[in-house]
Amino acid sequence: MNDDLLLDVRHLKAYFRSKQRTVKAVDDLSFTLKKGEILGLVGESGCGKSTTTKALLRLIGNQKNEYLEGEAFFEGEDLIKKSDKQMQTIRGNKIGFIAQNPMSSLNPVFTIGNQIAEVPQMHQRASKNKAWAIALKMLQKVGISDHESRAKQFSHQFSGGMKQRAVIAMALAGNPSLLIADEPTTALDVTIQAQILDLMVKLRDETHAGVLLITHDLGVVAEVCDRVAVMYAGKIVEQAPVDELFHHPQHPYTKGLLASVPKIGSRKKLIPISGHPPNLYEMQGGCLFQERCPFAFDRCKKTEPPLHKIAEHHHSACHLSSERMNSF
Amino acid sequence: MLKVWNRYRHNLLAVSGLVFILLLIVIAIFARQIAPHNPYTMSTAARLTGPSSSHWFGTDQFGRDILSRIIYGSRISLQVGVIAVGFSFIVGTIMGIIAGYNGGWVDSLISRITDVLFALPDILLALVIMAILGPSLNNLMLAIGIVYTPIFSRIARGAVLNIRDSLYIEAAYSMGVKKIKILWHHILPNILSPLIVQVTLSFAFAILSEAALSFLGLGVSPDTPSWGIMLSSAKDWMELSWWTAVFPGIAITLAVFSFNSVGDGLRDALDPRTGTGN
Amino acid sequence: MNRDHKPFIRVNHLKKYFPVAKNWRGKNSQYLKAVDDVSFSIDEGETLGLVGESGCGKSTTGRLLLHLLPPTSGSLFFGGQELTRLSKHELWQKRREMQLIFQDPYAALNPRMTIQASLHEPLKAYGEDKRTRDATIKKLIDAVGISSQYLNRYPHEFSGGQLQRIGIARSLALKPKFVVADEPVAALDMSIQAQILNLMKELQQEFNYTYLFISHDLSVIDYMSDRIGVMYLGKMVELTDRDALYQEPLHPYTQALLSAIPIAEPQRSKNKIMLKGEIPSPVHPPSGCHFRTRCPFAKAICAEKEPEWVEMKKGHYVACHVVQEAHQ
């Protein structure tokens, strides 16, 4: 393995069990992330992209009804095998997390500065003064003007975009090598989204951290990601570098998504994907996308297509693309 | 309706509660036929005798048969519970809906009235009302009803405020649905849950209030068999003769518990999102 | 497009101020100017798109046009009739002809009513008999692609896309002429969005609806609209044909908005106009031109005077000092 490898997830499974049924939220997921790389995890609601982040952060798997399996090597160590206590020293420190709703990450009764300073105080045993200095530096880094007085304010005094900047500052305070961002701009307005995305790319360039970006927005992916993994019903159906994915999509689901998103200036009629996403507890055998797939044939009903390498760095889980490869 | 019943019948506790209440109603109607003794007949010879084959639940300090008095007492307790709570539920809910939906000065007026009623202790308020109206069973029920009206009004108002700005209310309005229909079809069904819970709670309080007021001589005459009166007069004899208190107590507890479980079951059954719908 | 049409909807100097604070005498002392002096018209069978970020007043404008909110001032013509002058009963009769499609179809349906009952409700309100109602609903749910065997179900038993189809059927049950769609696809998954957008277009072609289409997403607006109005902090800043808006946007805000939108096209040139700062509070908007605090071209006059709403070219309206000066 090369030294650049930061995160290596292999056969990750996360199931939720209840009396009646098992929901396979994440099912046999494998992907890698390099240092300084932004990997986009795209998919629609319920495809398991958020569950993946929760599994990596080990926020699930501790309850009786939650089942977690597989390996996730982060800097050579398997996160899935870590104890809760070990995870606490990793979470928020070596792995920073940015949530969709900044409100839920900020405590309304502490000042923004204090909340950021808490991170180095906890993880690096920094003194109060030193931690405060780090907090100020982080706020400056994420582009909050007048950061010294802003640090003494509370979250309700911040606007939406500023709050998300503060959350990013908090995630950066532990000097992480991996940033996990779960829909970091979905709650923001477009012009603010552009600022935050710009900031994230800049920070990646500066810190050389790896970024796992969870999003449903193909536009966001195209703008900031280096590589993309498309998820559907708990599985990765296609994985490729960003240009390759947008220009030569292989999986019918990826193609469908690209054709169903309106693009400014293009007058082409949208071609929607028919039907709706499957229930994760009523899955039959075969390909999970077959019911909505315009190209489905017999084999799709019987066997599930594995994630198949179809070109250098390009994988697709579709019988059609693997067949095309074999016919060469 | 059928769907509601289908959801309801899966709830064992709620069904048993319903069965017990129906049983209670039958007992109340046929008290004369069921009761083994006349509940008013006193006997100095049989004062405070314990449970026996002739008096299953024993006798009280005047030698009256406790079982018969409980059977007859179900009439008054049920009547007071149902009518008084029914009054406060209907009046309070209407007041609360009007206040919550209209807002403005109507809301202020109704809210101030309920605040004033809230500020007075329950029993004191009932006493004042009874003092004005004079003692009788009807006035007793009215007094208890008035005392519990503000709590319904306040709960209803809060619930209405919660859903008044809901999208489905706006949707109905934007589609030309008239105000009264919106109140009836959209607002009422969606505020019913907390009110039903309150009904079942108030039922217990109503039975006990009847006891307290009767004990003070403002309700029914003290020799009338009522669970409340039996329980409160038993407190002087309890140490000697436990049965005087235990059996009326069990009757009240069972009735209250049944009403509670029926209320809970009803609340869940009325919500299509719960239970076996799928 | 035929501009000689008589406008079907026409609003002049529409204003809506919401009181937000009272002084010590209980008089309203502070107002949120949600919609501040907006004028435009919509032709019959046309789709006007309204786009803008949070707090720009686009949703309020939609509700004002339906007279779900009474305007603070201004006039509002619907098919030649002045809505603000109508009696309660006349307005109720007019209400049939104008309907709203909601962003969140689940919240817009009473959770305790079956879909059947919800669909019947508006028709019942206008006194249609059972036979006509049944026939109308049968036709509608066929048109939106919902099977009639599902009618006895409750809202929570449907997926978001299905619910929006039902919501659309319900809004169209009264055979309206004018339909306001308030972010109808914002709550839906990508693959479902295209289904709903195409459905709305098809229905418009069949029944000649006049649409006001409200969205924060410029690509969706661009796909749906004939003409587009851009709003910022209660003001309309630009209004023109969709082609003109995309090809030669005049207002600096429109330009920034266009450039901020992430496009699902990785190799597009990434020369973004990055706006400074955040959207100011609509309770305390900046003096003069509301956009001047974030505008890269702001001059002294922008703080002093509100820019006028001027037709720069035929059908192309802009409110901007800089643009207007440049054209003189």
Side-chain angles (χ1 to χ4, degrees):
Chain A
M1 280 280 139
N2 57 33
D3 296 338
D4 272 355
L5 198 65
L6 180 67
L7 183 67
D8 184 5
V9 178
R10 293 178 196 170
H11 308 292
L12 184 69
K13 291 178 183 170
Y15 297 170
F16 299 99
R17 287 192 178 132
S18 69
K19 264 183 204 157
Q20 297 92 10
R21 57 204 186 193
T22 299
V23 174
K24 298 182 174 180
V26 173
D27 200 12
D28 203 4
L29 209 65
S30 302
F31 64 89
T32 58
L33 177 67
K34 283 191 228 119
K35 284 176 189 159
E37 184 183 42
I38 303 185
L39 173 69
L41 210 53
V42 213
E44 300 177 277
S45 52
C47 74
K49 52 191 197 299
S50 286
T51 310
T52 306
T53 64
K54 284 187 190 137
L56 291 178
L57 291 164
R58 290 281 305 281
L59 298 172
I60 52 170
N62 311 317
Q63 303 285 320
K64 245 187 178 170
N65 63 337
E66 298 166 351
Y67 171 77
L68 201 59
E69 193 198 285
E71 294 159 316
F73 291 98
F74 168 65
E75 294 182 333
E77 290 176 71
D78 189 357
L79 292 176
I80 307 299
K81 292 210 176 67
K82 294 267 179 216
S83 70
D84 274 359
K85 232 183 175 164
Q86 287 171 313
M87 271 317 285
Q88 274 174 18
T89 62
I90 296 173
R91 232 183 278 144
N93 188 25
K94 282 182 177 170
I95 302 180
F97 182 64
I98 303 165
Q100 171 174 354
N101 185 356
M103 260 336 248
S104 60
S105 317
L106 295 172
N107 190 330
V109 301
F110 293 112
T111 64
I112 297 288
N114 272 333
Q115 290 181 65
I116 302 171
E118 205 184 24
V119 178
Q121 263 175 301
M122 207 163 67
H123 293 296
Q124 297 151 19
R125 314 215 160 228
S127 68
K128 239 184 166 175
N129 286 333
K130 201 178 160 211
W132 185 258
I134 293 175
L136 289 184
K137 210 176 95 195
M138 290 301 144
L139 283 174
Q140 197 177 17
K141 210 172 185 177
V142 297
I144 287 181
S145 55
D146 209 6
H147 58 278
E148 276 179 37
S149 56
R150 282 292 189 174
K152 290 175 198 142
Q153 290 185 337
F154 294 90
S155 61
H156 67 91
Q157 289 162 297
F158 276 45
S159 66
M162 298 265 285
K163 276 184 207 136
Q164 197 58 297
R165 282 175 195 269
V167 170
I168 294 176
M170 207 150 74
L172 289 176
N175 203 12
S177 47
L178 171 63
L179 261 181
I180 298 180
D182 189 0
E183 304 265 9
T185 58
T186 306
L188 304 175
D189 277 314
V190 207
T191 54
I192 311 298
Q193 165 171 291
Q195 296 171 356
I196 297 290
L197 291 178
D198 189 50
L199 172 70
M200 286 184 60
V201 173
K202 248 185 226 155
L203 290 172
R204 186 274 311 261
D205 295 344
E206 268 173 45
T207 63
H208 214 60
V211 182
L212 184 61
L213 178 73
I214 315 295
T215 181
H216 69 278
D217 191 333
L218 288 170
V220 170
V221 170
E223 302 250 317
V224 302
C225 293
D226 303 312
R227 230 154 34 86
V228 196
V230 182
M231 282 187 78
Y232 187 77
K235 303 196 182 251
I236 290 181
V237 294
E238 184 161 9
Q239 198 176 355
V242 71
D243 288 354
E244 173 89 3
L245 188 99
F246 279 89
H247 294 128
H248 307 287
Q250 289 299 318
H251 197 281
Y253 178 62
T254 316
K255 287 182 188 168
L257 277 186
L258 288 169
S260 65
V261 180
K263 287 187 200 82
I264 288 193
S266 152
R267 296 289 177 263
K268 261 192 272 173
K269 193 175 167 112
L270 300 181
I271 307 159
I273 304 176
S274 64
H276 42 90
N279 285 328
L280 293 174
Y281 49 85
E282 277 174 9
M283 292 194 290
Q284 296 106 18
C287 174
L288 296 168
F289 187 60
Q290 49 152 313
E291 272 179 31
R292 305 175 73 189
C293 182
F295 313 110
F297 59 110
D298 283 353
R299 214 163 100 208
C300 305
K301 290 201 179 74
K302 287 178 205 136
T303 45
E304 200 186 315
L307 200 58
H308 198 92
K309 186 169 176 179
I310 50 174
E312 191 61 31
H313 307 304
H314 195 160
H315 301 257
S316 164
C318 177
H319 289 309
L320 278 174
S321 44
S322 60
E323 213 154 74
R324 209 171 297 142
M325 287 302 296
N326 291 338
S327 65
F328 281 124
Chain B
M1 243 7 240
L2 201 69
K3 278 189 174 175
V4 172
W5 170 242
N6 268 334
R7 281 192 293 264
Y8 188 88
R9 70 190 173 85
H10 285 282
N11 187 337
L12 185 69
L13 205 59
V15 172
S16 353
L18 186 66
V19 169
F20 186 80
I21 290 171
L22 291 176
L23 190 72
L24 216 55
I25 293 171
V26 171
I27 289 174
I29 295 171
F30 298 104
R32 192 189 295 265
Q33 284 76 15
I34 295 168
H37 298 273
N38 183 326
Y40 297 99
T41 310
M42 301 189 206
S43 157
T44 39
R47 286 174 57 189
L48 296 171
T49 54
S52 66
S53 57
S54 58
H55 299 286
W56 287 5
F57 289 180
T59 59
D60 66 5
Q61 70 273 27
F62 299 114
R64 295 174 297 196
D65 180 45
I66 289 181
L67 175 61
S68 305
R69 285 181 73 78
I70 287 179
I71 289 172
Y72 272 86
S74 64
R75 289 181 166 180
I76 291 194
S77 295
L78 271 185
Q79 208 180 333
V80 170
V82 171
I83 295 180
V85 175
F87 173 88
S88 37
F89 169 64
I90 292 170
V91 174
T93 305
I94 291 174
M95 278 169 64
I97 291 180
I98 291 174
Y101 192 63
N102 287 310
W105 68 269
V106 184
D107 183 19
S108 303
L109 182 72
I110 292 176
S111 298
R112 287 304 87 75
I113 292 174
T114 54
D115 284 349
V116 170
L117 291 179
F118 254 125
L120 300 167
D122 290 357
I123 285 296
L124 190 67
L125 180 61
L127 273 174
V128 171
I129 298 169
M130 290 300 287
I132 298 168
L133 298 173
S136 84
L137 183 60
N138 286 340
N139 290 345
L140 176 89
M141 292 189 291
L142 184 64
I144 296 176
I146 292 173
V147 168
Y148 288 115
T149 298
I151 182 92
F152 284 98
S153 169
R154 187 169 278 190
I155 291 174
R157 177 179 173 271
V160 171
L161 285 182
N162 236 340
I163 64 158
R164 187 180 63 179
D165 297 323
S166 295
L167 225 43
Y168 59 84
I169 306 285
E170 192 191 10
Y173 177 72
S174 76
M175 287 170 191
V177 181
K178 294 271 167 74
K179 207 167 163 179
I180 190 84
K181 283 237 162 118
I182 289 182
L183 286 174
W184 188 249
H185 286 301
H186 295 286
I187 294 196
L188 190 63
N190 282 295
I191 63 167
L192 227 41
S193 296
L195 290 169
I196 287 173
V197 175
Q198 187 57 41
V199 163
T200 59
L201 290 175
S202 302
F203 182 77
F205 289 123
I207 290 179
L208 298 176
S209 302
E210 178 261 328
L213 290 171
S214 297
F215 182 70
L216 293 170
L218 289 166
V220 291
S221 65
D223 62 327
T224 317
S226 111
W227 296 349
I229 293 176
M230 291 172 75
L231 189 65
S232 53
S233 59
K235 69 178 193 301
D236 299 337
W237 314 96
M238 217 155 57
E239 285 166 42
L240 290 168
S241 344
W242 53 270
W243 55 90
T244 52
V246 166
F247 291 112
I250 289 176
I252 293 178
T253 311
L254 275 178
V256 167
F257 184 66
S258 305
F259 271 90
N260 279 345
S261 43
V262 167
D264 284 355
L266 207 56
R267 180 197 59 203
D268 292 342
L270 284 172
D271 190 340
R273 284 163 293 191
T274 53
T276 55
N278 302 325
Chain C
M1 201 189 337
N2 192 350
R3 269 274 175 280
D4 303 329
H5 273 228
K6 228 182 126 198
F8 185 55
I9 306 280
R10 148 134 236 113
V11 293
N12 294 323
H13 304 292
L14 197 64
K15 287 181 190 175
K16 181 68 190 178
Y17 296 175
F18 293 105
V20 286
K22 287 186 173 169
N23 65 12
W24 58 277
R25 281 185 305 183
K27 287 262 164 60
N28 295 323
S29 63
Q30 226 176 42
Y31 291 93
L32 188 157
K33 299 181 176 179
V35 176
D36 197 8
D37 200 357
V38 165
S39 307
F40 59 89
S41 65
I42 314 176
D43 290 345
E44 200 171 343
E46 186 193 32
T47 302
L48 177 73
L50 270 192
V51 70
E53 298 178 283
S54 52
C56 74
K58 54 191 192 300
S59 281
T60 309
T61 307
R63 277 162 174 75
L64 287 172
L65 256 62
L66 296 173
H67 216 281
L68 290 173
L69 288 172
T72 306
S73 71
S75 56
L76 218 164
F77 292 93
F78 180 89
Q81 258 179 315
E82 158 70 293
L83 283 187
T84 50
R85 297 241 174 86
L86 294 184
S87 73
K88 237 181 172 175
H89 185 69
E90 287 169 319
L91 195 65
W92 178 76
Q93 284 173 321
K94 266 271 165 275
R95 184 131 282 154
R96 264 200 95 134
E97 299 175 14
M98 38 189 191
Q99 290 297 319
L100 181 59
I101 296 174
F102 292 86
Q103 167 175 358
D104 182 350
Y106 181 71
L109 290 163
N110 186 335
R112 286 167 195 263
M113 270 162 72
T114 59
I115 295 310
Q116 169 112 299
S118 283
L119 285 168
H120 273 273
E121 195 183 27
L123 291 162
K124 240 184 200 166
Y126 284 97
E128 305 265 3
D129 63 65
K130 175 119 180 28
R131 216 141 133 234
T132 335
R133 287 195 325 247
D134 282 336
T136 314
I137 286 165
K138 173 95 193 37
K139 224 176 98 188
L140 267 170
I141 62 164
D142 278 350
V144 299
I146 293 286
S147 160
S148 57
Q149 72 191 56
Y150 294 151
L151 282 178
N152 274 321
R153 297 196 178 175
Y154 288 93
H156 69 275
E157 297 172 70
F158 291 90
S159 71
Q162 288 173 317
L163 279 178
Q164 192 55 294
R165 287 168 188 273
I166 292 162
I168 289 174
R170 190 170 178 226
S171 301
L172 302 182
L174 293 169
K175 301 197 177 82
K177 292 177 180 153
F178 174 52
V179 177
V180 174
D182 188 6
E183 302 262 17
V185 296
L188 303 178
D189 269 321
M190 295 175 282
S191 70
I192 307 298
Q193 287 194 5
Q195 293 178 9
I196 299 295
L197 295 178
N198 282 349
L199 174 68
M200 287 187 64
K201 278 195 153 184
E202 283 155 22
L203 290 167
Q204 184 178 35
Q205 266 156 24
E206 196 176 334
F207 301 105
N208 197 34
Y209 297 127
T210 305
Y211 281 145
L212 178 74
F213 196 97
I214 299 167
S215 178
H216 69 284
D217 187 337
L218 200 43
S219 8
V220 168
I221 285 280
D222 183 65
Y223 181 67
M224 291 300 289
S225 316
D226 300 310
R227 283 187 306 139
I228 298 170
V230 181
M231 290 186 74
Y232 187 80
L233 278 183
K235 296 266 188 195
M236 198 174 272
V237 295
E238 185 159 5
L239 172 69
T240 184
D241 286 358
R242 72 165 179 186
D243 290 315
L245 191 87
Y246 175 66
Q247 278 152 15
E248 43 164 350
L250 292 177
H251 198 282
Y253 178 62
T254 314
Q255 292 167 359
L257 204 57
L258 274 165
S259 107
I261 286 172
I263 305 284
E265 181 64 65
Q267 278 169 351
R268 202 178 60 111
S269 75
K270 288 181 180 170
N271 284 331
K272 282 194 180 279
I273 305 169
M274 201 63 76
L275 288 182
K276 302 173 284 187
E278 310 232 355
I279 306 163
S281 152
V283 181
H284 304 285
S287 65
C289 172
H290 290 181
F291 183 60
R292 68 169 168 86
T293 49
R294 303 174 74 198
C295 182
F297 313 111
K299 295 176 174 176
I301 185 175
C302 300
E304 287 154 21
K305 219 178 106 195
E306 275 188 32
E308 277 171 60
W309 185 235
V310 176
E311 187 169 10
M312 300 298 295
K313 293 177 190 164
K314 188 160 171 53
H316 196 155
Y317 296 84
V318 180
C320 175
H321 290 302
V322 180
V323 175
Q324 285 159 15
E325 266 174 31
H327 275 253
Q328 269 163 14

